[in-house]
Amino acid sequence: MLETSARLLRLLSLMQARQDWTGTELARELGITARTVRRDMDRLRELGYPVTTVRGVQGGYRLGVGRTLPPLLLDDDEAVAVALGLQVGATTRAAGLEDAAAGAFTKLREILPPRLRGRVDALRYATESGARQEPTVPSRLLEELAESCHRRERLRFDYCTHDGERQRRETEPHRLVNMGQRWYLLGWDVLRDDWRTYRVDRLMPRTPTGPRFHPRELPSGGATELVSRGVTAALSQVRASVRFHTPASAIVNRVAKYGQVVEAEGPDTCVLCCGGDSVETLAMWLGTFGVPFEVLDPPQLRDQCLVMADRYRAAAQGPESC
């Protein structure tokens, strides 16, 4: 009986790891006959697992989708990975999913053997998430947006802009992207005829949804890069042009992810067109490149660099200079 039970668990683990198996493959993996495989499949069906038989020359067995959730077999590393994922999910900014993830984590931890519980607890107590001040997004809203993306249905919604203005939008939704502890919707804005990024916590869907649409091809870089550029542009209240006395190749890798543009002037100089939320932030950021630069525009940024220079000069001279 013990041998049969252990074999059934091994068989179930194989069936969950891959969609289709032939009887010959399973017999070889388990070291049994094809007749024993058929008997074991009948036992799994009796236990409530929806095992279907695939007919034909390449036929075999498939673990289907049932009405109830059957037990899931995980190896040691898979169990730890799921537990860690649930721990991260319990700190997401999706109302409803946080409690569900925390509850699932507690249930999983209770059934783990001591050796795995120790690994999970070590990860749990040695890691933490930073403070999150961003608005929480209702999980139902995320589900509605995801369904519209999947069904390829236009979305109509009211949107609150960064300036507090309420606008009516109509969009072909493409992807939900989580960045910087916030949720964003990437879509093709029908009225503006361009890709746009929307903060999910600022939109209020209208019903019913619009007509079906044919998905558009994304520009190079994919959804995450488009959202990153959109977020950077939204935060760039101040635009600047800066000349660096270094080759463009030394700068481009540091700024490409922010959607900033670098143009080579020569072998040893380049011009960066960038943006930030204030001249103070830009002045501090430009100083981190570690190479000589000069501000071409705006004048306010040049003035701020002088302020920063005086501040750092006084700091370097010691307490008596203050």
Side-chain angles (χ1 to χ4, degrees), residues 208-228:
T209 55
R212 301 285 295 273
F213 64 88
H214 183 73
R216 302 172 186 270
E217 184 176 353
L218 280 174
S220 60
T224 301
E225 182 171 332
L226 271 183
V227 171
S228 178

Side-chain angles (χ1 to χ4, degrees), residues 29-105:
E29 289 285 339
L30 298 171
I32 57 178
T33 65
R35 182 179 179 181
T36 303
V37 170
R38 290 194 294 270
R39 288 201 303 265
D40 287 349
M41 289 299 178
D42 290 336
R43 293 189 179 97
L44 289 180
R45 293 187 183 100
E46 293 172 358
L47 293 172
Y49 290 92
V51 178
T52 59
T53 302
V54 181
R55 305 294 180 181
V57 178
Q58 298 297 326
Y61 301 96
R62 175 182 301 169
L63 188 61
V65 179
R67 296 181 179 178
T68 59
L69 185 64
L72 178 66
L73 293 182
L74 302 172
D75 63 26
D76 289 3
D77 290 338
E78 290 172 340
V80 174
V82 171
L84 183 60
L86 290 172
Q87 180 185 345
V88 173
T91 60
T92 185
R93 302 304 296 177
L97 293 184
E98 294 175 326
D99 292 341
F105 174 82

